[in-house]
Amino acid sequence: AEAQARLLLQEARESIEAARSYRRELEQRLRGLHQAREQIRESATLTRDVLEQHFSDLKGTLKKLLDERLMSLLQEVDAIEQESIKPLDECQKLIEHGVSTADDLLREGESAVHGDVGQQNEKLCSFTNKALHIQLDSLPEVPSLVDVPCLSAQLDDCLLTILKNQIFRHGTVASRPPVQLEEFVEKPGGILVRWCKVDDDFIPQDYRLQYRKSSSSHFEDVYVGSETEFIVLHIDPNVDYQFRVCARGDGRQEWSPWSVPQTGRTTLVPHEWTAGLEGYSLSSRRNIALRNDSQSCGVLYSKAPTYFCGQTLTFRIETVGQPDRRDSLGVCVEQQNGYDSLQRDKAVCISTNGAVFVNGKEMTNQLPAVTSGSTVTFDMEVVPLGPSSNEGGTFKLRVTISSNNREVVFDWVLDQCCVSLYFGCSFSYPGWKVLVF
């Protein structure tokens, strides 16, 4: 009976714990429903505001355009009116002057005819000469009504039909954006952001990625292009950033609605070059190194062993200088001063001509020579050594070096355990600039 009671008590406790777990799951789902409801309401409110603002701006712009067009047509009417009336005004002045002259002539003629007999002949002679000089048979030409402008306005009502059809097709409301953020991958001092298309009918031409610190209110563009992933650099570790993405349909100018903003962060400190080495100038974030004109040569190492196995280390060549067979880009177990290249023991590297070196020995496999814009990546994973291994070491890494769409894979055997490594570079001639991330 006591054992049965203990069993029942245990079952009851398990049932209570299951009920608590069940309740927690239900509460979590309630929170999910609440968030979904809030997202619908907030996005609906935002969409209403956007629509109202857009159409308000559109109405204001249309009114301004119509007013400008009306003013242009009225000015055209004024110009035609003034240009057409000007010769008529000149003709009117000429006729009025002729009427005044004829009145004067009439008065003089009547005076000559009805004047004193002694002065009559002299006045009649003067009047006759003046009348002949005035050319009373010459009259100014007055245009007929069919020869002068008769202004009118031609207004085609089809504009309303065109505007009506365009307005009724203007704007759409989507229940969800055609692209969504898919994955965040932590990188040293950066985040690899991936997105995907979720609308099968949507044919994307370009994508546009934006981000902001969670404490900021302003998103900024960080990528525009056709790829579906991008590494966002200059990310502060252990700080939340919000990301969103949209797309532009094939052959269209406008962008789609933004995806639902999502939060990403990286816990990995950024890769940095060591400052203070003569021969190299560094950027403010110390992730870009430039081989300067100094005659001093040597290997520029990372500030700390920040490359860990399982990650991808990337070098991007920003600018190139004169190549040399001693040039190197790679990783090493430890910093060793006194060398002018990573082509030495306890290091793997690639030269700018594409030669691959392991512990100072050149491999038969070779990669393409690096050029401006080239990226060289190093990937490493730990490979367990078997108990009967005779490879002469205690630790083995499988190394993959990729450059210009080609790669070499080999095993790097070391005599010590290394899960974090330094990276480095060396260039014999100035002009080389390399970004590490």
Side-chain angles (χ1 to χ4, degrees):
E2 185 178 349
Q4 185 176 6
R6 284 198 300 270
L7 181 60
L8 291 173
L9 181 60
Q10 180 64 27
E11 291 177 351
R13 288 173 176 168
E14 291 177 355
S15 298
I16 291 172
E17 185 58 36
R20 286 176 178 160
S21 177
Y22 179 64
R23 183 181 179 185
R24 285 195 297 269
E25 290 292 334
L26 290 176
E27 289 175 344
Q28 184 175 353
R29 279 162 173 75
L30 281 175
R31 287 193 294 271
L33 287 174
H34 177 72
Q35 291 174 351
R37 186 178 289 107
E38 286 301 312
Q39 177 173 301
I40 293 171
R41 287 174 175 168
E42 289 177 1
S43 62
T45 299
L46 178 61
T47 302
R48 290 189 194 96
D49 294 341
V50 169
L51 288 172
E52 290 173 356
Q53 184 63 48
H54 175 75
F55 277 85
S56 176
D57 294 343
L58 199 59
K59 284 189 286 187
T61 303
L62 285 174
K63 184 180 183 305
K64 181 181 178 182
L65 292 174
L66 289 172
D67 289 343
E68 290 177 355
R69 181 56 180 164
L70 173 60
M71 184 60 64
S72 175
L73 291 173
L74 292 176
Q75 290 173 352
E76 191 174 343
V77 171
D78 294 342
I80 294 174
E81 180 185 24
Q82 294 173 8
E83 183 180 353
S84 302
I85 286 180
K86 182 178 179 180
L88 298 181
D89 290 341
E90 293 174 352
C91 185
Q92 180 178 340
K93 290 178 182 179
L94 184 62
I95 292 174
E96 289 174 347
H97 178 71
V99 170
S100 176
T101 302
D103 287 342
D104 293 341
L105 190 62
L106 282 172
R107 284 192 296 272
E108 186 176 346
E110 290 175 351
S111 174
V113 171
H114 301 292
D116 296 336
V117 175
Q119 298 178 345
Q120 190 174 27
N121 289 338
E122 184 180 350
K123 289 183 177 181
L124 287 173
C125 183
S126 175
F127 168 74
T128 303
N129 289 334
K130 186 178 289 188
L132 291 174
H133 179 72
I134 293 175
Q135 298 179 349
L136 295 176
D137 60 343
S138 176
L139 295 173
E141 187 71 24
V142 177
S144 63
L145 292 180
V146 295
D147 294 329
V148 298
C150 181
L151 279 72
S152 62
Q154 288 78 48
L155 300 172
D156 193 348
D157 290 339
C158 72
L159 176 62
L160 294 176
T161 303
I162 295 172
L163 286 175
K164 181 179 177 181
N165 293 334
Q166 291 293 329
I167 289 172
F168 283 170
R169 290 199 300 266
H170 180 68
T172 58
V173 175
S175 60
R176 55 178 55 86
V179 291
Q180 291 285 8
L181 295 169
E182 184 179 29
E183 184 182 15
F184 297 107
V185 180
E186 293 186 49
K187 296 290 183 179
I191 299 176
L192 172 62
V193 184
R194 292 193 176 103
W195 54 89
C196 63
K197 186 182 73 164
V198 295
D199 184 351
D200 294 335
D201 297 328
F202 183 79
I203 302 176
Q205 173 181 306
D206 290 309
Y207 297 99
R208 180 182 178 189
L209 178 67
Q210 290 189 337
Y211 84 125
R212 69 178 180 186
K213 275 188 177 182
S214 294
S215 58
S216 172
S217 59
H218 175 67
F219 279 96
E220 60 180 277
D221 287 343
V222 68
Y223 173 76
V224 175
S226 59
E227 300 295 328
T228 56
E229 65 177 38
F230 183 76
I231 297 179
V232 183
L233 298 176
H234 305 157
I235 295 292
D236 296 327
N238 301 308
V239 174
D240 286 340
Y241 288 80
Q242 280 195 322
F243 297 86
R244 65 181 185 181
V245 67
C246 65
R248 180 162 50 197
D250 190 21
R252 303 184 70 89
Q253 294 297 320
E254 70 276 7
W255 293 98
S256 73
W258 290 105
S259 66
V260 177
Q262 294 190 37
T263 301
R265 65 159 47 197
T266 181
T267 59
L268 305 176
V269 297
H271 292 317
E272 294 183 9
W273 298 104
T274 299
L277 180 65
E278 186 179 359
Y280 292 90
S281 304
L282 306 184
S283 63
S284 59
R285 287 181 174 266
R286 296 186 292 278
N287 60 342
I288 299 177
L290 170 66
R291 180 67 167 92
N292 56 36
D293 295 332
S294 172
Q295 296 300 317
S296 175
C297 62
V299 178
L300 176 65
Y301 292 103
S302 59
K303 182 179 178 181
T306 52
Y307 174 62
F308 292 86
C309 296
Q311 298 178 356
T312 298
L313 177 69
T314 303
F315 299 98
R316 188 169 70 205
I317 306 300
E318 305 290 305
T319 60
V320 298
Q322 180 181 339
D324 186 275
R325 64 177 304 277
R326 295 169 298 171
D327 296 340
S328 60
L329 288 166
V331 297
C332 56
V333 175
E334 57 191 8
Q335 298 179 352
Q336 290 185 10
N337 298 322
Y339 289 90
D340 61 358
S341 174
L342 284 174
Q343 299 169 17
R344 59 167 177 80
D345 189 34
K346 295 184 179 180
V348 294
C349 65
I350 176 176
S351 178
T352 51
N353 63 8
V356 178
F357 292 84
V358 182
N359 291 333
K361 297 180 180 179
E362 184 175 354
M363 295 182 61
T364 55
N365 293 336
Q366 184 163 330
L367 293 169
V370 298
T371 58
S372 180
S374 293
T375 58
V376 179
T377 62
F378 286 75
D379 291 275
M380 299 188 185
E381 59 178 343
V382 178
V383 179
L385 285 171
S388 59
S389 174
N390 58 359
E391 295 183 78
T394 60
F395 191 73
K396 182 165 71 173
L397 295 173
R398 183 147 298 155
V399 182
T400 302
I401 306 178
S402 302
S403 177
N404 293 332
N405 296 320
R406 289 182 56 186
E407 65 180 31
V408 294
V409 182
F410 56 90
D411 288 341
W412 183 23
V413 180
L414 299 168
D415 57 4
Q416 63 187 98
C417 179
C418 294
V419 292
S420 64
L421 300 165
Y422 290 89
F423 56 86
C425 70
S426 65
F427 299 102
S428 300
Y429 298 99
W432 291 92
K433 182 192 287 187
V434 57
L435 164 69
V436 62
F437 58 91

